Amino acid sequence: MKHQVTKAPKVALCHKCVGTGFYRQILTDGTFSAERCPQCEGSGRVMVSAVIEYDIRPYRAEK
């Protein structure tokens, strides 16, 4: 039996920039480069939604 669950969109903290809106990269000379986060576009927040499909079957032990 297949079962599908839909999770409604919600606001979440951006994991790429940890909510700061800036993505830091270490350059070869040891300094940092702070650029606007490409995932949240600088807001620090993202919209998250999901569709999950389960396939539930009875367990049949092999004899």
Side-chain angles (χ1 to χ4, degrees), residues 5 31 36 39 44 56 60:
V5 177
T31 60
R36 190 169 77 159
Q39 183 167 289
I56 302 170
R60 300 188 201 283

Side-chain angles (χ1 to χ4, degrees), residues 26-47:
I26 300 174
L27 302 176
T28 54
D29 63 358
T31 60
F32 290 95
S33 167
E35 298 177 10
R36 190 169 77 159
C37 179
Q39 183 167 289
C40 67
E41 297 178 349
S43 71
R45 306 288 183 267
V46 292
M47 291 294 291

Side-chain angles (χ1 to χ4, degrees):
M1 173 174 71
K2 292 198 180 204
H3 183 70
Q4 192 175 66
V5 177
T6 302
K7 299 282 187 173
K10 66 177 185 176
V11 178
L13 190 69
C14 178
H15 286 275
K16 190 170 187 97
C17 68
V18 195
T20 63
F22 293 96
Y23 183 67
R24 291 186 181 185
Q25 294 179 326
I26 300 174
L27 302 176
T28 54
D29 63 358
T31 60
F32 290 95
S33 167
E35 298 177 10
R36 190 169 77 159
C37 179
Q39 183 167 289
C40 67
E41 297 178 349
S43 71
R45 306 288 183 267
V46 292
M47 291 294 291
V48 179
S49 64
V51 176
I52 304 166
E53 186 174 294
Y54 296 96
D55 185 12
I56 302 170
R57 292 178 270 159
Y59 173 75
R60 300 188 201 283
E62 294 183 30
K63 295 179 182 177

